[in-house]
mmCIF file with all atom_site columns, all heavy atoms in Angstrom:
data_model
loop_
_atom_site.group_PDB
_atom_site.id
_atom_site.type_symbol
_atom_site.label_atom_id
_atom_site.label_alt_id
_atom_site.label_comp_id
_atom_site.label_asym_id
_atom_site.label_entity_id
_atom_site.label_seq_id
_atom_site.pdbx_PDB_ins_code
_atom_site.Cartn_x
_atom_site.Cartn_y
_atom_site.Cartn_z
_atom_site.occupancy
_atom_site.B_iso_or_equiv
_atom_site.pdbx_formal_charge
_atom_site.auth_seq_id
_atom_site.auth_comp_id
_atom_site.auth_asym_id
_atom_site.auth_atom_id
_atom_site.pdbx_PDB_model_num
ATOM 1   N N   . PRO B 1 42 ? -17.363 27.908 -69.371 1.00 87.00 ? 42 PRO B N   1
ATOM 2   C CA  . PRO B 1 42 ? -17.449 27.583 -70.795 1.00 87.00 ? 42 PRO B CA  1
ATOM 3   C C   . PRO B 1 42 ? -16.307 26.665 -71.223 1.00 87.00 ? 42 PRO B C   1
ATOM 4   O O   . PRO B 1 42 ? -15.218 26.716 -70.648 1.00 87.00 ? 42 PRO B O   1
ATOM 5   C CB  . PRO B 1 42 ? -17.335 28.947 -71.481 1.00 87.00 ? 42 PRO B CB  1
ATOM 6   C CG  . PRO B 1 42 ? -16.648 29.813 -70.505 1.00 87.00 ? 42 PRO B CG  1
ATOM 7   C CD  . PRO B 1 42 ? -17.055 29.325 -69.152 1.00 87.00 ? 42 PRO B CD  1
ATOM 8   N N   . TRP B 1 43 ? -16.575 25.811 -72.177 1.00 90.00 ? 43 TRP B N   1
ATOM 9   C CA  . TRP B 1 43 ? -15.525 24.902 -72.628 1.00 90.00 ? 43 TRP B CA  1
ATOM 10  C C   . TRP B 1 43 ? -15.524 24.749 -74.140 1.00 90.00 ? 43 TRP B C   1
ATOM 11  O O   . TRP B 1 43 ? -16.539 24.958 -74.804 1.00 90.00 ? 43 TRP B O   1
ATOM 12  C CB  . TRP B 1 43 ? -15.644 23.532 -71.963 1.00 90.00 ? 43 TRP B CB  1
ATOM 13  C CG  . TRP B 1 43 ? -16.986 22.867 -72.077 1.00 90.00 ? 43 TRP B CG  1
ATOM 14  C CD1 . TRP B 1 43 ? -18.002 22.954 -71.188 1.00 90.00 ? 43 TRP B CD1 1
ATOM 15  C CD2 . TRP B 1 43 ? -17.438 22.000 -73.118 1.00 90.00 ? 43 TRP B CD2 1
ATOM 16  N NE1 . TRP B 1 43 ? -19.067 22.205 -71.585 1.00 90.00 ? 43 TRP B NE1 1
ATOM 17  C CE2 . TRP B 1 43 ? -18.751 21.607 -72.772 1.00 90.00 ? 43 TRP B CE2 1
ATOM 18  C CE3 . TRP B 1 43 ? -16.875 21.516 -74.286 1.00 90.00 ? 43 TRP B CE3 1
ATOM 19  C CZ2 . TRP B 1 43 ? -19.509 20.748 -73.584 1.00 90.00 ? 43 TRP B CZ2 1
ATOM 20  C CZ3 . TRP B 1 43 ? -17.625 20.660 -75.079 1.00 90.00 ? 43 TRP B CZ3 1
ATOM 21  C CH2 . TRP B 1 43 ? -18.929 20.287 -74.729 1.00 90.00 ? 43 TRP B CH2 1
ATOM 22  N N   . ILE B 1 44 ? -14.360 24.391 -74.644 1.00 92.00 ? 44 ILE B N   1
ATOM 23  C CA  . ILE B 1 44 ? -14.181 24.113 -76.066 1.00 92.00 ? 44 ILE B CA  1
ATOM 24  C C   . ILE B 1 44 ? -13.475 22.780 -76.167 1.00 92.00 ? 44 ILE B C   1
ATOM 25  O O   . ILE B 1 44 ? -12.432 22.582 -75.538 1.00 92.00 ? 44 ILE B O   1
ATOM 26  C CB  . ILE B 1 44 ? -13.321 25.202 -76.755 1.00 92.00 ? 44 ILE B CB  1
ATOM 27  C CG1 . ILE B 1 44 ? -13.978 26.582 -76.626 1.00 92.00 ? 44 ILE B CG1 1
ATOM 28  C CG2 . ILE B 1 44 ? -13.087 24.843 -78.208 1.00 92.00 ? 44 ILE B CG2 1
ATOM 29  C CD1 . ILE B 1 44 ? -13.099 27.720 -77.089 1.00 92.00 ? 44 ILE B CD1 1
ATOM 30  N N   . GLN B 1 45 ? -14.062 21.854 -76.910 1.00 93.00 ? 45 GLN B N   1
ATOM 31  C CA  . GLN B 1 45 ? -13.393 20.558 -77.081 1.00 93.00 ? 45 GLN B CA  1
ATOM 32  C C   . GLN B 1 45 ? -12.652 20.554 -78.406 1.00 93.00 ? 45 GLN B C   1
ATOM 33  O O   . GLN B 1 45 ? -13.210 20.926 -79.443 1.00 93.00 ? 45 GLN B O   1
ATOM 34  C CB  . GLN B 1 45 ? -14.415 19.433 -77.042 1.00 93.00 ? 45 GLN B CB  1
ATOM 35  C CG  . GLN B 1 45 ? -13.744 18.075 -77.139 1.00 93.00 ? 45 GLN B CG  1
ATOM 36  C CD  . GLN B 1 45 ? -14.692 16.931 -76.881 1.00 93.00 ? 45 GLN B CD  1
ATOM 37  O OE1 . GLN B 1 45 ? -15.804 17.134 -76.405 1.00 93.00 ? 45 GLN B OE1 1
ATOM 38  N NE2 . GLN B 1 45 ? -14.256 15.733 -77.212 1.00 93.00 ? 45 GLN B NE2 1
ATOM 39  N N   . VAL B 1 46 ? -11.380 20.148 -78.357 1.00 93.00 ? 46 VAL B N   1
ATOM 40  C CA  . VAL B 1 46 ? -10.574 20.091 -79.585 1.00 93.00 ? 46 VAL B CA  1
ATOM 41  C C   . VAL B 1 46 ? -10.071 18.672 -79.785 1.00 93.00 ? 46 VAL B C   1
ATOM 42  O O   . VAL B 1 46 ? -10.111 17.846 -78.868 1.00 93.00 ? 46 VAL B O   1
ATOM 43  C CB  . VAL B 1 46 ? -9.375  21.078 -79.532 1.00 93.00 ? 46 VAL B CB  1
ATOM 44  C CG1 . VAL B 1 46 ? -9.870  22.499 -79.391 1.00 93.00 ? 46 VAL B CG1 1
ATOM 45  C CG2 . VAL B 1 46 ? -8.432  20.719 -78.410 1.00 93.00 ? 46 VAL B CG2 1
ATOM 46  N N   . ARG B 1 47 ? -9.569  18.393 -81.002 1.00 92.00 ? 47 ARG B N   1
ATOM 47  C CA  . ARG B 1 47 ? -8.980  17.071 -81.258 1.00 92.00 ? 47 ARG B CA  1
ATOM 48  C C   . ARG B 1 47 ? -7.630  16.993 -80.560 1.00 92.00 ? 47 ARG B C   1
ATOM 49  O O   . ARG B 1 47 ? -6.914  17.996 -80.451 1.00 92.00 ? 47 ARG B O   1
ATOM 50  C CB  . ARG B 1 47 ? -8.797  16.872 -82.769 1.00 92.00 ? 47 ARG B CB  1
ATOM 51  C CG  . ARG B 1 47 ? -10.093 16.864 -83.528 1.00 92.00 ? 47 ARG B CG  1
ATOM 52  C CD  . ARG B 1 47 ? -9.855  16.531 -84.977 1.00 92.00 ? 47 ARG B CD  1
ATOM 53  N NE  . ARG B 1 47 ? -8.806  17.374 -85.551 1.00 92.00 ? 47 ARG B NE  1
ATOM 54  C CZ  . ARG B 1 47 ? -8.480  17.363 -86.835 1.00 92.00 ? 47 ARG B CZ  1
ATOM 55  N NH1 . ARG B 1 47 ? -9.106  16.578 -87.682 1.00 92.00 ? 47 ARG B NH1 1
ATOM 56  N NH2 . ARG B 1 47 ? -7.514  18.141 -87.292 1.00 92.00 ? 47 ARG B NH2 1
ATOM 57  N N   . ALA B 1 48 ? -7.275  15.784 -80.117 1.00 91.00 ? 48 ALA B N   1
ATOM 58  C CA  . ALA B 1 48 ? -6.037  15.636 -79.339 1.00 91.00 ? 48 ALA B CA  1
ATOM 59  C C   . ALA B 1 48 ? -4.820  16.066 -80.145 1.00 91.00 ? 48 ALA B C   1
ATOM 60  O O   . ALA B 1 48 ? -3.892  16.666 -79.603 1.00 91.00 ? 48 ALA B O   1
ATOM 61  C CB  . ALA B 1 48 ? -5.887  14.185 -78.877 1.00 91.00 ? 48 ALA B CB  1
ATOM 62  N N   . GLN B 1 49 ? -4.824  15.806 -81.481 1.00 90.00 ? 49 GLN B N   1
ATOM 63  C CA  . GLN B 1 49 ? -3.624  16.157 -82.254 1.00 90.00 ? 49 GLN B CA  1
ATOM 64  C C   . GLN B 1 49 ? -3.497  17.665 -82.431 1.00 90.00 ? 49 GLN B C   1
ATOM 65  O O   . GLN B 1 49 ? -2.420  18.161 -82.760 1.00 90.00 ? 49 GLN B O   1
ATOM 66  C CB  . GLN B 1 49 ? -3.614  15.433 -83.608 1.00 90.00 ? 49 GLN B CB  1
ATOM 67  C CG  . GLN B 1 49 ? -4.733  15.827 -84.547 1.00 90.00 ? 49 GLN B CG  1
ATOM 68  C CD  . GLN B 1 49 ? -5.884  14.840 -84.481 1.00 90.00 ? 49 GLN B CD  1
ATOM 69  O OE1 . GLN B 1 49 ? -6.275  14.382 -83.412 1.00 90.00 ? 49 GLN B OE1 1
ATOM 70  N NE2 . GLN B 1 49 ? -6.445  14.486 -85.640 1.00 90.00 ? 49 GLN B NE2 1
ATOM 71  N N   . ASP B 1 50 ? -4.579  18.423 -82.217 1.00 90.00 ? 50 ASP B N   1
ATOM 72  C CA  . ASP B 1 50 ? -4.516  19.875 -82.351 1.00 90.00 ? 50 ASP B CA  1
ATOM 73  C C   . ASP B 1 50 ? -4.322  20.581 -81.017 1.00 90.00 ? 50 ASP B C   1
ATOM 74  O O   . ASP B 1 50 ? -4.343  21.808 -80.965 1.00 90.00 ? 50 ASP B O   1
ATOM 75  C CB  . ASP B 1 50 ? -5.806  20.398 -82.996 1.00 90.00 ? 50 ASP B CB  1
ATOM 76  C CG  . ASP B 1 50 ? -5.959  19.907 -84.412 1.00 90.00 ? 50 ASP B CG  1
ATOM 77  O OD1 . ASP B 1 50 ? -4.941  19.856 -85.117 1.00 90.00 ? 50 ASP B OD1 1
ATOM 78  O OD2 . ASP B 1 50 ? -7.084  19.545 -84.801 1.00 90.00 ? 50 ASP B OD2 1
ATOM 79  N N   . LEU B 1 51 ? -4.129  19.806 -79.953 1.00 92.00 ? 51 LEU B N   1
ATOM 80  C CA  . LEU B 1 51 ? -4.104  20.429 -78.626 1.00 92.00 ? 51 LEU B CA  1
ATOM 81  C C   . LEU B 1 51 ? -2.981  21.444 -78.486 1.00 92.00 ? 51 LEU B C   1
ATOM 82  O O   . LEU B 1 51 ? -3.182  22.570 -78.035 1.00 92.00 ? 51 LEU B O   1
ATOM 83  C CB  . LEU B 1 51 ? -3.971  19.353 -77.546 1.00 92.00 ? 51 LEU B CB  1
ATOM 84  C CG  . LEU B 1 51 ? -3.836  19.939 -76.142 1.00 92.00 ? 51 LEU B CG  1
ATOM 85  C CD1 . LEU B 1 51 ? -5.160  20.493 -75.676 1.00 92.00 ? 51 LEU B CD1 1
ATOM 86  C CD2 . LEU B 1 51 ? -3.331  18.920 -75.152 1.00 92.00 ? 51 LEU B CD2 1
ATOM 87  N N   . ARG B 1 52 ? -1.779  21.049 -78.911 1.00 92.00 ? 52 ARG B N   1
ATOM 88  C CA  . ARG B 1 52 ? -0.636  21.943 -78.705 1.00 92.00 ? 52 ARG B CA  1
ATOM 89  C C   . ARG B 1 52 ? -0.775  23.223 -79.524 1.00 92.00 ? 52 ARG B C   1
ATOM 90  O O   . ARG B 1 52 ? -0.498  24.319 -79.036 1.00 92.00 ? 52 ARG B O   1
ATOM 91  C CB  . ARG B 1 52 ? 0.663   21.227 -79.038 1.00 92.00 ? 52 ARG B CB  1
ATOM 92  C CG  . ARG B 1 52 ? 1.096   20.265 -77.932 1.00 92.00 ? 52 ARG B CG  1
ATOM 93  C CD  . ARG B 1 52 ? 2.336   19.510 -78.309 1.00 92.00 ? 52 ARG B CD  1
ATOM 94  N NE  . ARG B 1 52 ? 3.425   20.411 -78.641 1.00 92.00 ? 52 ARG B NE  1
ATOM 95  C CZ  . ARG B 1 52 ? 4.183   21.014 -77.735 1.00 92.00 ? 52 ARG B CZ  1
ATOM 96  N NH1 . ARG B 1 52 ? 3.984   20.788 -76.462 1.00 92.00 ? 52 ARG B NH1 1
ATOM 97  N NH2 . ARG B 1 52 ? 5.138   21.838 -78.102 1.00 92.00 ? 52 ARG B NH2 1
ATOM 98  N N   . ALA B 1 53 ? -1.238  23.077 -80.772 1.00 92.00 ? 53 ALA B N   1
ATOM 99  C CA  . ALA B 1 53 ? -1.435  24.268 -81.602 1.00 92.00 ? 53 ALA B CA  1
ATOM 100 C C   . ALA B 1 53 ? -2.492  25.178 -80.976 1.00 92.00 ? 53 ALA B C   1
ATOM 101 O O   . ALA B 1 53 ? -2.328  26.409 -80.937 1.00 92.00 ? 53 ALA B O   1
ATOM 102 C CB  . ALA B 1 53 ? -1.854  23.845 -83.009 1.00 92.00 ? 53 ALA B CB  1
ATOM 103 N N   . THR B 1 54 ? -3.538  24.568 -80.436 1.00 92.00 ? 54 THR B N   1
ATOM 104 C CA  . THR B 1 54 ? -4.603  25.334 -79.772 1.00 92.00 ? 54 THR B CA  1
ATOM 105 C C   . THR B 1 54 ? -4.043  26.112 -78.591 1.00 92.00 ? 54 THR B C   1
ATOM 106 O O   . THR B 1 54 ? -4.297  27.304 -78.437 1.00 92.00 ? 54 THR B O   1
ATOM 107 C CB  . THR B 1 54 ? -5.685  24.364 -79.276 1.00 92.00 ? 54 THR B CB  1
ATOM 108 O OG1 . THR B 1 54 ? -6.147  23.608 -80.380 1.00 92.00 ? 54 THR B OG1 1
ATOM 109 C CG2 . THR B 1 54 ? -6.831  25.099 -78.631 1.00 92.00 ? 54 THR B CG2 1
ATOM 110 N N   . CYS B 1 55 ? -3.269  25.407 -77.774 1.00 92.00 ? 55 CYS B N   1
ATOM 111 C CA  . CYS B 1 55 ? -2.751  26.037 -76.568 1.00 92.00 ? 55 CYS B CA  1
ATOM 112 C C   . CYS B 1 55 ? -1.812  27.191 -76.905 1.00 92.00 ? 55 CYS B C   1
ATOM 113 O O   . CYS B 1 55 ? -1.873  28.255 -76.291 1.00 92.00 ? 55 CYS B O   1
ATOM 114 C CB  . CYS B 1 55 ? -2.037  25.004 -75.703 1.00 92.00 ? 55 CYS B CB  1
ATOM 115 S SG  . CYS B 1 55 ? -3.178  23.846 -74.961 1.00 92.00 ? 55 CYS B SG  1
ATOM 116 N N   . ARG B 1 56 ? -0.940  26.951 -77.892 1.00 92.00 ? 56 ARG B N   1
ATOM 117 C CA  . ARG B 1 56 ? -0.026  28.010 -78.311 1.00 92.00 ? 56 ARG B CA  1
ATOM 118 C C   . ARG B 1 56 ? -0.796  29.238 -78.761 1.00 92.00 ? 56 ARG B C   1
ATOM 119 O O   . ARG B 1 56 ? -0.483  30.368 -78.393 1.00 92.00 ? 56 ARG B O   1
ATOM 120 C CB  . ARG B 1 56 ? 0.838   27.513 -79.472 1.00 92.00 ? 56 ARG B CB  1
ATOM 121 C CG  . ARG B 1 56 ? 2.155   27.042 -79.006 1.00 92.00 ? 56 ARG B CG  1
ATOM 122 C CD  . ARG B 1 56 ? 3.081   26.744 -80.150 1.00 92.00 ? 56 ARG B CD  1
ATOM 123 N NE  . ARG B 1 56 ? 4.077   25.810 -79.678 1.00 92.00 ? 56 ARG B NE  1
ATOM 124 C CZ  . ARG B 1 56 ? 5.021   26.152 -78.793 1.00 92.00 ? 56 ARG B CZ  1
ATOM 125 N NH1 . ARG B 1 56 ? 5.098   27.377 -78.346 1.00 92.00 ? 56 ARG B NH1 1
ATOM 126 N NH2 . ARG B 1 56 ? 5.883   25.259 -78.378 1.00 92.00 ? 56 ARG B NH2 1
#
Side-chain angles (χ1 to χ4, degrees):
Chain B
W43 53 268
I44 300 171
Q45 183 171 347
V46 299
R47 296 186 309 186
Q49 64 263 42
D50 295 321
L51 176 73
R52 283 177 56 80
T54 304
C55 290
R56 263 188 203 291

